[in-house]
Amino acid sequence: QVQLVESGGGSVQAGGSLRLSCVASGYMYSSRCMGWFRQAPGKQREGVALIYTDDGATYYADSVKGRFTISQDKAKNTAYLQMNSLKPEDTAMYYCAAATTWCGSWDTGEHFTYWGQGTQVTVSS
């Protein structure tokens, strides 16, 4: 049974920081890429950040570039999302996901097979 478990969400004021973690269990951390996504009420899911597990290449949504950093610790089967300079518009449920074969068009999430249950991030002004 493959499981992805997120943690680290919470409530912060604008300008604050949070670090989300995503622990993968049930399989070796051998997915092709890991991604972080978010969905706010009434809005579509959007891709936030992506990391390729083999070479560590990263990609970001324009809305978070320069503020968020995705990273991984393969020894711990864990992906992270460091979020700095948070804004109220970052408020959403954040999900991590794993793609095992293809990561193209990553921001749509369509090729991601495994998803976590989500962790809520709330940023107040």
Side-chain angles (χ1 to χ4, degrees):
Q1 183 75 20
V2 175
Q3 279 192 317
L4 299 175
V5 180
E6 304 98 333
S7 62
S11 297
V12 296
Q13 290 191 325
S17 298
L18 285 172
R19 188 176 82 154
L20 307 183
S21 299
C22 172
V23 180
S25 62
Y27 73 116
M28 295 296 291
Y29 191 82
S30 58
S31 56
R32 185 164 178 82
C33 58
M34 300 288 290
W36 285 97
F37 298 81
R38 67 186 181 187
Q39 187 165 21
K43 294 188 177 182
Q44 284 190 327
R45 183 183 65 198
E46 71 171 317
V48 174
L50 178 82
I51 187 165
Y52 278 87
T53 57
D54 54 355
D55 63 4
T58 58
Y59 298 87
Y60 298 92
D62 288 342
S63 58
V64 305
K65 279 181 183 176
R67 300 188 299 122
F68 290 12
T69 302
I70 188 171
S71 61
Q72 61 183 352
D73 185 336
K74 289 195 279 188
K76 295 182 178 180
N77 283 357
T78 302
Y80 303 97
L81 185 68
Q82 178 67 44
M83 305 185 296
N84 298 328
S85 303
L86 282 162
K87 304 175 181 181
E89 51 264 43
D90 294 318
T91 295
M93 185 72 78
Y94 283 70
Y95 301 89
C96 71
T100 56
T101 58
W102 176 246
C103 302
S105 301
W106 68 271
D107 56 323
T108 67
E110 61 181 307
H111 299 296
F112 286 77
T113 305
Y114 303 108
W115 293 80
Q117 83 290 348
T119 186
Q120 178 67 38
V121 172
T122 302
V123 184
S124 58
S125 57

